[in-house]
Amino acid sequence: MAQTDKDIVLISQDSAFSERIGALVRRQPGFALQECNATLSTMNGKAVELAKTSELIIFQASTNTASDIEALKGIAKSGSAARILAISDSTVPFGLAHSLLQVGATEVVPDTVADAELSRIVNRLSMPRRLTLTTPDLREGQVIAVSKARGGIGATTLAVNLADHLVGHKKRFGKSETRKVVLVDLDLQFGAIAGFLDLPPNDALYKLAKDRIDPDSVFLEQAIVKTASGLAVIAAPDGFMPLNALQPDQIRALIYRLQQSYDFVIVDLPHAMVDWLTPVLEAASTVLIVSGTSVPFVQQTRRLIDFFKDQNPSLNIEVVVGQEKKPLLKSRRHAEAAKALESEFRHWLPPDAKSAEEAMDRGLPLSQTASGSALNKEIAQISARLLSAVASNRDPKNLKAERRER
Ligand SMILES: Nc1ncnc2c1ncn2[C@@H]1O[C@H](COP(=O)(O)OP(=O)(O)OP(=O)(O)O)[C@@H](O)[C@H]1O
Ligand SMILES: [Mg+2]
């Protein structure tokens, strides 16, 4: 088989180890495995070559960690896109494991990790680096979650219109630039996205929970409906559904599958805390919390930030003020709120009930009903910022500093 067919490379001289990890990888659909009976360092230049054509390299960290470190440096220098999973003997000291991370290993796990957990790690690390995208700079699908400090503040309005802007718009003449975007209504009990976009409610998520199945391609086909502009939507069910009916693993698999096919996965979160929020937050790069500037809002936002950070410390969390115009001068209240949140209010969605409601009534995004409104323009700006962060492959957090410099 040609080298380019190999998605995952497994490097180990220990047959029991190779058998265990090999079996585990083979159970995952869609991956080709190449096994190498060697250590990372004895592979010499071959490891570098394989790293250029693979999604993931798994190697058994040897007791001679120094030679692994040298080999990893060589791979890092080659600029390959492969992720590297080191599986170490549990006797390998923490300091040495840390050195592997410093020189380019994506993750280091002890071989005592249970098979199910290891499968999850392999699955996550082997997501294709580059999807077939219309924008060549984009990498695997970005998950953006939208949360709210209280109901009715405008979170769904933001999620729907952000998704619409991220899709982009087809130009009549010239080159169109559109992206593949899916909007998922995980506000399972009070989901309103179907109404916002004049789509029928969909009981696919209810069936997923009831039948305890994995969201495979058949499920996605039944669950996804497209709007005229090309936005894919998974609407919430119509009837009542207990929030905890869905299992975290089902949501993890759903988000993962969507990331494989879409450039952006926008998730409208419920107000309640449920255990399946964890896989959403683990996969997310950004969470937008729609909030207000008054004390109870700020307190609730602080709680949400702490919870989200706890789930995923590298998450980019941005606070969006809903239904309030950006003040020309920052008041004392705003300064105190920013201090309590340890972050500035990033965006301000101006109050505009007329535009918001007209769009809802017509079942269309703001771009089609009130394109010139300040509300639509602000959401377009959030979209543009997220796009530029992804296109330049930078953490959206860093754009703040760049913006200030300009
Ligand atoms: N910027 C705005 N100015 C004025 N009204 C708005 C604005 N954004 C949304 N609305 C209106 O507020 C109401 C609630 O909006 P939306 O459903 O987006 O909020 P939500 O936070 O998702 O609420 P829920 O708790 O029901 O999920 C709707 O009637 C909507 O039209
Ligand atoms: Mg909502």
Side-chain angles (χ1 to χ4, degrees):
M1 208 186 285
Q3 219 177 60
T4 45
D5 295 330
K6 312 291 182 194
D7 288 321
I8 299 184
V9 178
L10 173 59
I11 303 170
S12 166
Q13 276 184 319
D14 175 345
S15 56
F17 177 92
S18 298
E19 224 166 87
R20 177 188 169 210
I21 309 297
L24 197 141
V25 171
R26 276 188 218 96
R27 252 180 264 139
Q28 319 244 3
F31 296 125
L33 179 71
Q34 178 170 349
E35 293 185 55
C36 302
N37 184 7
T39 66
L40 191 65
S41 54
T42 57
M43 297 270 297
N44 295 319
K46 193 155 181 250
V48 173
E49 284 313 304
L50 287 170
K52 285 182 187 159
T53 55
S54 315
E55 300 298 340
L56 173 65
I57 295 210
I58 306 173
F59 77 96
Q60 186 178 26
S62 61
T63 37
N64 181 5
T65 319
S67 59
D68 287 340
I69 288 175
E70 282 315 305
L72 278 174
K73 279 185 187 164
I75 294 175
K77 228 193 266 170
S78 76
S80 85
R83 273 158 281 192
I84 299 173
L85 172 63
I87 303 183
S88 72
D89 189 300
S90 53
T91 59
V92 168
F94 180 76
L96 287 179
H98 185 64
S99 315
L100 294 175
L101 287 174
Q102 282 182 317
V103 294
T106 319
E107 215 157 313
V108 183
V109 295
D111 58 7
T112 45
V113 162
D115 279 3
E117 175 62 7
L118 205 48
S119 280
R120 204 175 65 75
I121 295 170
V122 169
N123 215 344
R124 176 162 48 80
L125 295 183
S126 55
M127 280 192 265
R129 277 277 182 186
R130 297 202 174 272
L131 305 173
T132 320
L133 301 170
T134 45
T135 308
D137 291 332
L138 292 175
R139 309 176 89 161
E140 63 214 21
Q142 295 276 316
V143 179
I144 297 164
V146 180
S147 177
K148 60 204 160 197
R150 78 152 163 80
I153 186 70
T156 302
T157 302
L158 173 61
V160 166
N161 290 288
L162 175 64
D164 171 62
H165 282 293
L166 286 170
V167 168
H169 298 283
K170 288 200 183 91
K171 290 183 183 148
R172 275 184 93 183
F173 304 104
K175 205 172 156 218
S176 298
E177 200 194 342
T178 54
R179 287 156 288 271
K180 286 190 76 184
V181 181
V182 62
L183 175 62
V184 190
D185 197 346
L186 287 186
D187 192 359
L188 298 173
Q189 295 180 326
F190 303 104
I193 286 178
F196 270 71
L197 292 169
D198 197 19
L199 298 171
N202 192 320
D203 65 355
L205 288 170
Y206 173 75
K207 277 197 191 134
L208 189 73
K210 189 166 84 43
D211 302 341
R212 302 207 156 217
I213 49 164
D214 260 356
D216 54 13
S217 49
V218 177
F219 166 84
L220 290 184
E221 226 166 84
Q222 289 168 356
I224 292 173
V225 183
K226 277 202 174 172
T227 67
S229 66
L231 171 66
V233 179
I234 299 185
D238 204 8
F240 178 79
M241 170 175 175
L243 264 184
N244 59 3
L246 279 168
Q247 301 301 309
D249 275 348
Q250 290 179 305
I251 294 291
R252 180 174 290 113
L254 173 67
I255 301 288
Y256 170 65
R257 280 196 173 271
L258 293 174
Q259 276 184 290
Q260 288 183 304
S261 314
Y262 290 87
D263 304 337
F264 288 94
V265 182
I266 312 300
V267 185
D268 195 4
L269 294 178
H271 195 34
M273 298 287 164
V274 263
D275 55 359
W276 52 255
L277 286 183
T278 303
V280 178
L281 297 165
E282 278 175 355
S285 55
T286 294
V287 173
L288 302 171
I289 304 176
V290 189
S291 182
T293 57
S294 63
V295 173
F297 264 132
V298 171
Q299 285 172 339
Q300 177 60 7
T301 307
R302 180 73 248 181
R303 267 186 226 126
L304 286 173
I305 292 175
D306 290 343
F307 172 73
F308 293 157
K309 277 271 175 224
D310 202 37
Q311 304 292 311
N312 177 358
S314 63
L315 198 57
N316 171 46
I317 303 176
E318 302 188 1
V319 182
V320 180
V321 181
Q323 308 188 14
E324 236 178 276
K325 198 162 176 257
K326 185 174 183 176
L328 289 174
L329 289 172
K330 203 159 79 170
S331 71
R332 220 178 103 206
R333 189 166 77 138
H334 295 145
E336 278 167 10
K339 201 169 146 208
L341 298 176
E342 294 172 61
S343 86
E344 296 291 329
F345 294 119
R346 181 59 71 82
H347 302 279
W348 299 71
L349 302 179
D352 186 354
K354 188 170 167 281
S355 299
E357 257 144 49
E358 192 197 339
M360 260 172 62
D361 286 347
R362 291 178 57 191
L364 291 167
L366 286 163
S367 65
Q368 290 181 44
T369 58
S371 62
S373 66
L375 179 57
N376 182 53
K377 286 181 182 165
E378 185 62 29
I379 299 177
Q381 264 187 29
I382 300 177
S383 158
R385 221 180 124 268
L386 290 168
L387 274 174
S388 92
V390 175
S392 56
N393 196 18
R394 278 171 296 176
D395 188 328
K397 267 182 274 188
N398 300 335
L399 286 184
K400 179 171 64 176
E402 287 162 29
R403 231 181 171 193
R404 274 202 303 262
E405 277 160 23
R406 265 191 254 136

